[in-house]
Amino acid sequence: MEYLGILFDQVYKILFLLVPVLVSVAMVVWLDRRVWAFVQKRQGPNVVGPFGLLQTIADALKYIFKEIIIPSSSNKVIFILAPIVTMTLALIAWAVIPFSATQVLADINVGVLYLFAVSSLGVYGIIMGGWASNSKYPFLGAIRSAAQMVSYEVSIGVIIINVLLCVGSLNLNDIVLAQQNLWFVIPLFPMFVIFFISALAETNRPPFDLPEAEAELVAGYQTEYSGMMYAMFWLGEYANILLMCAMGAILFLGGWLSPLEIYPFTLVPGPVWLVLKILLLFLLFALVKAIVPRYRYDQLMKLGWKVFLPLSLIWVVLTASYLFYFNLLPVN
Amino acid sequence: MIAHSIFFYTFSIIAIVSAIMVTASKNTVHSVFFLILDFISISCLFIMIGAEFLGMIMLIVYVGAVAVLFLFVVMMLNVAQQKNQWFSSEASSKHIPVGLIISTLIFVELIIVVGGWKYKPDLFDINNSLELAKVSNTHSLGQVLYTDYIHVFQISGMILLVAMIGAIVLTFRKRVGVKIQSYIKQISRERSDGVSVLKVESNKGVKIDD
């Protein structure tokens, strides 16, 4: 009975986290399309519900009732597993995101490493989908995507080392609390910019959406997918984007801390600040999608390995030596 | 404790079964996916005994990077056909003794380690385990790795670097006649490099490439 109580408690907590995440994924898809439309002087989805807010839910309903077509020459088990893997990995990472000092599902010692591990596993959904489809374009898209994600993870890892040098702990709540006086976006501003661009590449967002470049590869690894399975890829992708935004907000923008520790700001609870910061970063993601044209593949690889990796490594040396000479290294 | 043992047996059964399936499955890509499942369940076991740093690094390095490259190679090279050739032809008899020798070596090493742990437990005692218990896993690893074992750590890093450079040198071939984009060349190009204004007399034309 005791275990059953713990189980129900945990399930309740998980649902309380995941349902808002899923709803906000739906809202964020709408926001993305709306921003994209406004940049191009269009209206965007504005028919279903107030301001078109329910558009994504209508789309999801449509996908549910469509037939799922599984190509006869595909590898069926892996073909079906791929969208499930993508969606699951996009959702389990939210377990360690702290919404305030106490509101976190799993306050583990190695929170940053967990986030990094889960985001590096995300490539499997794409490779599995591309290979199992047994078709040229999905396979090419999957290969492109895997190479791209592996290269940009390296620079994200080095950027995380920069932040960790200033904090001295891998716990996400410690990272947030270390920014009480100064958000890391100010001393580590170049790293924040590189993190943002790497996050775009990591989540296959434009201008780095080469895995699904429609002019060359139809729809990349999603070409053979239909119905609910396509929708799961699509929702998983947006959940991943929100996750990268949350990671940026926690590592650089002070997580759930309020921008100023004075009266009217302290009234607002922590989760609201975190959500606002995630939304701000997502707005940047959406604007970049609308404004910047797509990269060429060799330029993308050059940017990752020859520009971002050396820059972030140099910045690690700079940060470490600055902290060392001014005796600011966090020792506990 | 019951929940703990349930999780332990679940993960270890998955690890063992997937390890067997790596060698047993006919499709090479399936083998790699079973290998990934094996890595994941072993990192879960690491986390269960409290070595959370090791478990996460296992996930990041092996599953996130090494296994992706494995998959790349297996998918691109069509290893499935070669594998069948190995098993059907007479060449397979050459591989069996090598495999046997290596697996016996690993088995003997395991027996030595487990036996030593059983009969000489003081050898394996961490001499300052009480002191280390207060700080987190990551801190204690860093304190040992970057002080007492710094030379070993650096040497292993150098070996990996040499291996990487060797692989690049072996596979590098300079291609001739490929146009490579150079940003500096593009940006520093002046108007006078490309365009010149000439006065052309009528009915004469211009001579190009004099």
Side-chain angles (χ1 to χ4, degrees):
Chain A
M1 272 322 284
E2 193 192 341
Y3 283 125
L4 225 59
I6 296 173
L7 195 71
F8 276 124
D9 192 42
Q10 289 299 322
V11 168
Y12 166 73
K13 276 184 187 166
I14 291 169
L15 282 181
F16 202 71
L17 177 71
L18 283 191
V19 171
V21 166
L22 284 172
V23 172
S24 53
V25 164
M27 292 300 119
V28 139
V29 174
W30 169 81
L31 182 72
D32 189 33
R33 293 175 65 182
R34 236 4 216 190
V35 170
W36 198 10
F38 280 141
V39 172
Q40 299 173 346
K41 277 196 151 185
R42 289 186 288 119
Q43 282 297 311
N46 64 349
V47 176
V48 191
F51 307 108
L53 265 172
L54 299 178
Q55 178 67 47
T56 317
I57 294 167
D59 282 347
L61 273 178
K62 186 187 80 177
Y63 281 126
I64 288 172
F65 290 114
K66 282 206 169 189
E67 185 191 355
I68 294 175
I69 298 162
I70 298 176
S72 58
S73 64
S74 68
N75 194 317
K76 287 182 188 58
V77 179
I78 295 181
F79 188 80
I80 295 168
L81 266 178
I84 300 174
V85 166
T86 304
M87 192 72 190
T88 315
L89 286 174
L91 292 182
I92 58 168
W94 288 90
V96 292
I97 302 284
F99 285 88
S100 73
T102 49
Q103 281 164 299
V104 47
L105 208 60
D107 195 12
I108 57 175
N109 274 336
V110 286
V112 180
L113 283 183
Y114 176 82
L115 270 186
F116 190 57
V118 170
S119 73
S120 71
L121 292 191
V123 68
Y124 280 111
I126 293 168
I127 296 190
M128 284 161 89
W131 180 77
S133 301
N134 200 4
S135 153
K136 282 192 196 76
Y137 295 122
F139 188 60
L140 282 174
I143 293 280
R144 273 187 180 190
S145 163
Q148 174 180 336
M149 287 173 89
V150 169
S151 355
Y152 277 85
E153 249 159 46
V154 180
S155 65
I156 288 190
V158 177
I159 292 162
I160 289 175
I161 291 175
N162 269 302
V163 174
L164 295 182
L165 272 174
C166 306
V167 179
S169 165
L170 294 167
N171 185 308
L172 285 171
N173 249 330
D174 287 349
I175 291 175
V176 172
L177 287 173
Q179 304 179 55
Q180 254 168 343
N181 299 321
L182 186 66
W183 290 359
F184 287 144
V185 66
I186 298 165
L188 299 175
F189 185 70
M191 288 303 100
F192 175 67
V193 175
I194 294 181
F195 178 83
F196 181 75
I197 299 172
S198 302
L200 287 174
E202 176 84 6
T203 50
N204 295 332
R205 281 284 288 187
F208 305 113
D209 60 340
L210 287 145
E212 46 201 89
E214 65 274 354
E216 307 151 30
L217 294 180
V218 192
Y221 58 91
Q222 299 170 342
T223 308
E224 303 289 347
Y225 281 89
S226 56
M228 202 52 213
M229 280 158 72
Y230 174 76
M232 276 175 82
F233 261 131
W234 175 61
L235 292 176
E237 208 170 277
Y238 274 91
N240 254 329
I241 292 165
L242 274 189
L243 184 77
M244 288 313 273
C245 292
M247 213 163 141
I250 288 166
L251 290 179
F252 291 101
L253 299 177
W256 42 265
L257 292 171
S258 69
L260 290 169
E261 290 295 330
I262 48 173
Y263 170 64
F265 289 109
T266 47
L267 280 182
V268 182
V272 177
W273 284 121
L274 183 66
V275 168
L276 281 178
K277 284 165 189 172
I278 292 174
L279 270 183
L280 177 79
L281 280 178
F282 184 80
L283 213 63
L284 282 176
F285 265 70
L287 277 177
V288 168
K289 177 182 181 174
I291 291 167
V292 186
R294 189 176 284 139
Y295 258 61
R296 218 170 58 204
Y297 198 73
D298 61 321
Q299 289 173 332
L300 168 90
M301 281 299 171
K302 209 179 209 172
L303 188 72
W305 287 107
K306 294 189 180 168
V307 180
F308 283 178
L309 185 62
L311 255 181
S312 42
L313 274 175
I314 289 169
W315 206 266
V316 167
V317 176
L318 278 181
T319 317
S321 28
Y322 178 84
L323 291 173
F324 183 73
Y325 281 111
F326 291 91
N327 227 353
L328 294 166
L329 275 174
V331 184
N332 44 347
Chain B
M1 278 319 279
I2 300 170
H4 195 271
S5 34
I6 288 173
F7 277 119
F8 173 77
Y9 284 115
T10 318
F11 289 135
S12 33
I13 286 169
I14 292 174
I16 291 168
V17 169
S18 54
I20 292 169
M21 288 306 288
V22 172
T23 49
S25 70
K26 285 229 168 120
N27 193 327
T28 338
V29 177
H30 287 183
S31 298
V32 180
F33 281 126
F34 277 116
L35 186 69
I36 293 160
L37 186 62
D38 199 28
F39 281 148
I40 291 174
S41 40
I42 283 173
S43 81
C44 290
L45 285 176
F46 269 133
I47 293 165
M48 279 189 68
I49 58 168
E52 73 270 3
F53 183 76
L54 213 57
M56 288 300 159
I57 289 295
M58 179 111 183
L59 271 188
I60 293 169
V61 175
Y62 284 96
V63 184
V66 174
V68 173
L69 298 181
F70 260 47
L71 264 185
F72 255 44
V73 174
V74 168
M75 283 175 179
M76 305 278 262
L77 291 185
N78 209 355
V79 190
Q81 289 174 357
Q82 286 185 6
K83 194 180 167 187
N84 287 336
Q85 279 171 13
W86 279 342
F87 286 116
S88 57
S89 69
E90 289 179 5
S92 65
S93 53
K94 281 182 199 163
H95 298 291
I96 290 172
V98 180
L100 271 180
I101 290 170
I102 291 172
S103 46
T104 335
L105 265 177
I106 294 171
F107 188 63
V108 169
E109 277 175 358
L110 271 178
I111 285 178
I112 291 171
V113 168
V114 173
W117 181 44
K118 179 97 173 141
Y119 294 108
K120 280 262 183 198
D122 45 319
L123 269 181
F124 291 83
D125 245 9
I126 309 162
N127 33 22
N128 45 4
S129 55
L130 274 177
E131 200 181 309
L132 288 176
K134 285 172 202 158
V135 294
S136 79
N137 228 314
T138 322
H139 278 119
S140 44
L141 250 179
Q143 273 161 14
V144 178
L145 204 58
Y146 293 104
T147 52
D148 298 347
Y149 297 101
I150 180 70
H151 293 117
V152 184
F153 183 71
Q154 295 267 346
I155 288 169
S156 56
M158 288 307 284
I159 291 171
L160 285 176
L161 182 68
V162 169
M164 192 182 83
I165 293 172
I168 292 172
V169 168
L170 282 178
T171 53
F172 184 76
R173 62 195 161 92
K174 200 162 177 76
R175 285 187 295 174
V176 204
V178 181
K179 282 185 181 173
I180 296 170
Q181 188 182 21
S182 156
Y183 298 128
I184 299 167
K185 236 182 181 175
Q186 286 181 346
I187 294 166
S188 60
R189 193 174 142 95
E190 295 282 327
R191 184 187 145 86
S192 55
D193 297 337
V195 186
S196 57
V197 182
L198 296 176
K199 279 217 163 152
V200 185
E201 284 178 51
S202 79
N203 288 331
K204 283 276 170 66
V206 189
K207 269 192 177 176
I208 311 173
D209 297 332
D210 265 340

